[in-house]
Amino acid sequence: MEIDKAIRESDDTRLKTKYNNAVYVIKRALALYSIEEVAFSFNGGKDSTVLLHLLRAGYFLHRREQNCPNGVLTDFPIRTIYFESASAFPEINSFTYDIAKMYGMQMDIIRSDFKSGLEMLLKAKPIRAIFLGVRIGDPTAVGQEQFSPSSLGWPSFMRVNPILDWSYRDVWAFLLTCKVQYCSLYDQGYTSIGSIYDTVPNALLSISNTSSKEKFKPAYLLPDGRLERAGRVKKISSSDGTRLPAINNGLDSVDSHRNRMFTASVIGVGDEILFGTVEDQLGPSLCRKLHSIGWLTSQTAVVRNDIDSVAEEIERRKSTNDVVFLYGGVGPLHSDVTLAGVAKAFGVRLAPDEEFEEYLRHLIGDHCTGDRNEMAQLPEGITELLHHEKLPVPLIKCRNVIVLSATNATELDKQWDCLIELTVSDGCLVTMEPYSSKRLTTNLTDVETAQPLSKLCLEFPDLYIGCFRESRQGPLVISFEGKDLARIHAAVETLCKKLHPEAFSEVN
């Protein structure tokens, strides 16, 4: 069998391990269910192409272990489900039908939505298990195991996920090692293919050239597999409500956000801060950095080194803020509970991440204990590793929660600069119009200024007008913050008219 032979002859030990594990899952499923009771969901993408050939190899090896005559495997015996859609790329459809003909696949073509199509198919056929090309990191992978019953409200079947723990690198290592055909779009810079309305070539593979038509390197040359979905964009609608094909990588959408307010919460994790043992430098520094890019910090908090405390604070903040920043409590010690708290807040488990472990192994060396390394346990299905060449270990992003590993201001400065560079393309940290500010001091009493300032706040609701004293006997400092400098000048002028212009001094 050519697939099994290609893997056996490869010197890629990691790929061999992934292959053996996947084939074991396939053979286990074929032992539990008859060939009439299993099906394969194929969509023409790279992951399902990998699974197609794993199934061919797994079926061949299963038959051999059952002492059945193998001969040459020509036709693919497992029923194949293909959901044909008008929004699919023509190249995907062509590839699917060409592959089906090449391997003699029994195709059930469904032209309705996934759920309705499955309901009809499972009523007509004795299917009890479906092989899926789901990988950790896919939106549908959260909470799934290699064998997972279908979700509540869906038709009843067993989801079988042989490549659940495969990475982007593993997928391409398999396809290139086995020298099998894959959809031509992957050679045109597409790294993750959805519909024509939400998929474009990955800008990270763009080739600079002087011609008018942009060119892209093939998908297998993407340097960081965690960025495979960078070519997915939001759907675009025309003025009459019809959907249009995606035309850019979402970079232009940054400007559309500049007029809205983005908010962030900052959460520190550490008993030592609460005990007063150390002074928290990172929280205030993060607030200043967010302010410098035009963001509003809505809350800051410091919580104990306790999983429930971390999870509860994240749960409160993640739905009311664009981004939540976490620092402290990251590492292998008993008190490093931040990632466990993130996982609990999102209702997922911690699971080993092999790519993150490779970074740690490179950084720590022999002190890293392989798959037992606690630091390589990340929230399953929601984690994106943000790798930058200046960082020895990637930053961790779970949905809208960003976990920083910095322990001092210098490390935070470095991670922040890298984070800004990394997240410009996906809009996670849109750089907004910066705040303008002005400060006045006065020796007027609080009683004299209270009513005029209250009225001023009503007249200028778009500005942040605050007051503080550096000492009880010192002057009152009145601060004005906002995105429109003209409005700040107008507010200052209005305040001076309400009281006495000579009573105020401007602070540079």
Side-chain angles (χ1 to χ4, degrees):
M1 204 282 160
E2 81 282 4
I3 298 298
D4 190 66
K5 183 174 184 291
I7 298 298
R8 301 298 173 200
E9 293 176 353
S10 169
D11 58 1
D12 188 335
T13 56
R14 175 184 169 118
L15 179 60
K16 287 181 177 179
T17 300
K18 294 291 185 180
Y19 171 79
N20 289 333
N21 291 342
V23 167
Y24 173 80
V25 173
I26 292 168
K27 290 193 295 183
R28 180 64 178 156
L30 294 176
L32 290 171
Y33 305 98
S34 69
I35 199 69
E36 293 79 15
E37 293 176 325
V38 296
F40 164 45
S41 180
F42 185 73
N43 64 10
K46 62 185 185 301
D47 297 339
S48 61
T49 302
V50 166
L51 184 52
L52 164 64
H53 294 289
L54 286 172
L55 288 170
R56 293 179 62 238
Y59 178 74
F60 176 87
L61 296 171
H62 171 72
R63 294 268 296 175
R64 187 172 68 183
E65 290 175 3
Q66 299 299 314
N67 296 317
C68 298
N70 278 301
V72 178
L73 184 63
T74 54
D75 290 351
F76 183 68
I78 298 174
R79 182 178 300 279
T80 303
I81 310 168
Y82 180 57
F83 290 84
E84 190 175 88
S85 170
S87 63
F89 283 86
E91 293 89 344
I92 286 288
N93 283 329
S94 297
F95 172 72
T96 297
Y97 290 113
D98 289 345
I99 286 294
K101 183 178 180 180
M102 181 183 300
Y103 295 109
M105 297 161 69
Q106 306 171 45
M107 295 276 284
D108 281 301
I109 301 171
I110 299 175
R111 294 182 173 87
S112 61
D113 66 274
F114 194 82
K115 186 176 181 181
S116 300
L118 276 183
E119 288 175 344
M120 291 187 293
L121 184 65
L122 268 60
K123 286 179 181 178
K125 308 293 182 182
I127 296 171
R128 297 176 56 202
I130 300 177
F131 291 101
L132 301 170
V134 173
R135 293 190 289 118
I136 287 178
D138 293 346
T140 59
V142 177
Q144 288 205 47
E145 304 285 348
Q146 290 173 326
F147 289 84
S148 290
S150 54
S151 302
L152 186 66
W154 281 70
S156 178
F157 66 95
M158 181 63 72
R159 293 175 290 190
V160 185
N161 303 307
I163 62 170
L164 188 64
D165 64 343
W166 285 43
S167 68
Y168 184 86
R169 176 262 187 204
D170 299 327
V171 166
W172 280 110
F174 179 89
L175 294 173
L176 297 177
T177 298
C178 296
K179 296 181 174 62
V180 294
Q181 291 186 23
Y182 53 82
C183 181
S184 61
L185 289 174
Y186 291 111
D187 286 333
Q188 301 171 33
Y190 291 83
T191 53
S192 176
I193 300 175
S195 77
I196 59 174
Y197 302 115
D198 64 5
T199 310
V200 294
N202 194 321
L204 298 169
L205 292 172
S206 178
I207 301 173
S208 300
N209 61 78
T210 56
S211 64
S212 58
K213 185 177 180 180
E214 192 171 12
K215 294 184 178 180
F216 296 86
K217 293 179 285 188
Y220 56 81
L221 293 180
L222 184 69
D224 189 346
R226 290 169 293 274
L227 300 175
E228 67 173 295
R229 296 181 69 86
R232 294 295 188 98
V233 297
K234 294 181 179 180
K235 293 180 175 65
I236 303 172
S237 297
S238 65
S239 58
D240 62 0
T242 58
R243 293 187 301 176
L244 299 174
I247 57 173
N248 60 52
N249 230 44
L251 301 180
D252 294 338
S253 64
V254 171
D255 291 335
S256 67
H257 296 309
R258 295 179 74 89
N259 293 325
R260 61 155 286 197
M261 179 60 67
F262 281 78
T263 63
S265 279
V266 176
I267 303 172
V269 180
D271 291 339
E272 63 279 2
I273 299 174
L274 295 173
F275 294 159
T277 306
V278 299
E279 181 181 353
D280 180 17
Q281 297 180 342
L282 302 189
S285 180
L286 269 173
C287 291
R288 289 190 292 270
K289 292 180 184 301
L290 287 163
H291 187 270
S292 71
I293 62 170
W295 281 53
L296 172 67
T297 304
S298 60
Q299 300 99 3
T300 63
V302 177
V303 299
R304 295 190 56 203
N305 293 104
D306 174 76
I307 294 175
D308 288 337
S309 298
V310 175
E312 289 168 6
E313 193 64 29
I314 295 171
E315 185 67 33
R316 280 193 290 268
R317 306 307 179 196
K318 65 185 177 68
S319 61
T320 57
N321 291 271
D322 294 287
V323 175
V324 177
F325 287 92
L326 278 167
Y327 62 92
V330 179
L333 300 175
H334 70 283
S335 57
D336 294 324
V337 298
T338 295
L339 291 171
V342 174
K344 186 168 184 177
F346 284 100
V348 301
R349 68 173 187 171
L350 287 176
D353 186 290
E354 292 187 359
E355 293 192 23
F356 192 54
E357 186 178 328
E358 285 186 4
Y359 283 106
L360 295 176
R361 193 183 301 278
H362 178 74
L363 179 68
I364 302 172
D366 294 336
H367 298 290
C368 180
T369 57
D371 58 9
R372 296 186 298 276
N373 183 0
E374 293 294 328
M375 293 176 68
Q377 301 273 331
L378 301 178
E380 182 185 34
I382 62 171
T383 298
E384 177 184 356
L385 297 178
L386 305 177
H387 177 70
H388 192 285
E389 59 184 6
K390 295 181 181 178
L391 297 176
V393 176
L395 299 175
I396 299 169
K397 179 174 175 284
C398 301
R399 302 268 172 86
N400 66 329
V401 175
I402 296 176
V403 181
L404 301 169
S405 59
T407 59
N408 57 51
T410 301
E411 292 174 359
L412 179 61
D413 289 343
K414 184 176 182 179
Q415 291 185 7
W416 177 264
D417 292 342
C418 294
L419 183 63
I420 292 295
E421 289 183 27
L422 288 169
T423 56
V424 164
S425 61
D426 65 13
C428 174
L429 279 181
V430 179
T431 300
M432 306 290 291
E433 292 293 340
Y435 281 99
S436 296
S437 62
K438 187 176 285 290
R439 287 186 179 181
L440 302 178
T441 61
T442 181
N443 289 319
L444 294 174
T445 66
D446 292 356
V447 174
E448 290 176 292
T449 57
Q451 188 175 26
L453 284 173
S454 296
K455 291 181 178 179
L456 191 69
C457 290
L458 295 175
E459 295 174 35
F460 294 88
D462 55 320
L463 301 182
Y464 296 95
I465 303 174
C467 305
F468 64 93
R469 292 181 186 273
E470 294 182 351
S471 68
R472 180 49 58 188
Q473 290 74 37
L476 178 68
V477 180
I478 305 171
S479 62
F480 300 82
E481 298 272 350
K483 299 297 184 73
D484 189 337
L485 185 58
R487 289 283 289 170
I488 292 177
H489 287 313
V492 169
E493 184 178 345
T494 301
L495 179 61
C496 290
K497 288 179 179 178
K498 289 180 183 294
L499 296 166
H500 307 288
E502 298 79 13
F504 298 96
S505 299
E506 186 172 332
V507 179
N508 293 324

